[in-house]
């Protein structure tokens, strides 16, 4: 997180030019229908160039655009704040799972300073992943605490980024733990219904159930069979562990 502090003085870069500066969902009049009814770059129909639907970050960017008058610093500050929240939630979840305070704190600090997280923190568009991760961790923490407020964070995780659907298997894993208090059997069922509802809405907007169309210049292996891609993924995982 500390290595991301210089980004506060930076400009909007990379996908920010399309997703924020060039998006009428962010720069135009507030329209929930347009934000929730178009893709991540506020495109519709045949002009759509990306199959991602992440309305919550777009809605947040609309407010940040007004807050900073188009300047980059509010977007940068939000990303740093969300990353700090994710690191703190990682500590909280670790403690709830039984880790000693020191181990949980070290884990949260490692999460905060890992260089690979710069991709999500150092440019504004990466905030979609930060929103999703923060909401996912909050949902897990609340479920571990036997709270009834899990569902809003499940929905928020899925509205922020496609990876938010991972909240459902994580909540299911929590159910496998020995009873830690009063069970809420309806909670997991409600979360499943919410995830399916969000995915259905996403499919209606994008006319597709599948993920993003990834071009070859982004992932040169995108056209290869999974047997060829798996060793590369495992090699990258090994490098991540070493880092």
């Amino acid at each position: 997180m500390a290595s991301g502090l210089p980004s506060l003085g930076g400009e909007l870069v990379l996908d920010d030019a399309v997703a924020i500066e060039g998006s009428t969902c962010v720069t135009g009049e507030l329209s929930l229908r347009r934000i929730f009814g178009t893709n991540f770059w506020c495109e519709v129909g045949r002009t759509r160039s990306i199959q991602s639907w992440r309305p919550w970050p777009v809605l947040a960017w609309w407010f940040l655009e007004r807050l900073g008058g188009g300047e980059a610093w509010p977007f940068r500050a939000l990303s740093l704040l969300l990353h700090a929240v994710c690191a703190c939630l990682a500590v909280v979840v670790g403690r709830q799972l039984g880790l000693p305070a020191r181990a949980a704190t070290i884990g949260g600090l490692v999460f905060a300073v890992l260089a690979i997280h710069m991709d999500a923190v150092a440019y504004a568009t990466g905030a979609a992943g930060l929103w999703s991760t923060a909401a996912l961790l909050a949902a897990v923490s609340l479920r571990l605490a036997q709270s009834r407020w899990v569902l809003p964070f499940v929905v928020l995780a899925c509205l922020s980024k496609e990876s938010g659907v991972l909240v459902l298997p994580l909540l299911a894993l929590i159910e496998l733990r020995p009873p830690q208090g009063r069970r809420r059997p309806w909670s997991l069922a409600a979360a499943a219904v919410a995830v399916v509802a969000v995915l259905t809405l996403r499919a209606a907007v994008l006319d597709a159930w599948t993920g993003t169309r990834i071009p070859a210049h982004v992932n040169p292996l995108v056209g290869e069979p999974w047997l060829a891609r798996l060793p590369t993924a495992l090699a990258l995982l090994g490098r991540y562990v070493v880092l």
Side-chain angles (χ1 to χ4, degrees), residues 19 22 34 69 86-88 90 94 96 106 139 151 176 186 189 195 205 218 228 237:
R34 184 167 63 226
C86 289
C88 292
Q96 289 175 309
I106 291 174
L151 192 59
L176 298 178
W186 51 265
V195 169
V205 173
V218 173
L237 177 61

Side-chain angles (χ1 to χ4, degrees), residues 65-149:
E65 173 76 14
R66 273 78 199 155
L67 175 65
E71 295 292 326
W73 69 264
F75 300 92
R76 304 286 194 171
L78 176 64
S79 293
L80 285 171
L81 176 62
L82 287 172
H83 186 53
V85 169
C86 289
C88 292
L89 284 171
V91 176
V92 172
V93 171
R95 292 289 290 133
Q96 289 175 309
L97 291 174
L99 288 178
R102 179 178 295 181
T105 302
I106 291 174
L109 291 174
V110 170
F111 178 93
V113 300
L114 277 177
I116 197 170
H117 292 161
M118 285 297 293
D119 185 58
V121 180
Y123 74 105
T125 312
L130 297 172
W131 276 114
S132 182
T133 302
L136 183 151
L137 289 172
V140 169
S141 178
L142 289 168
R143 186 65 191 91
L144 289 169
Q146 301 292 323
S147 172
R148 66 179 64 184
W149 296 103

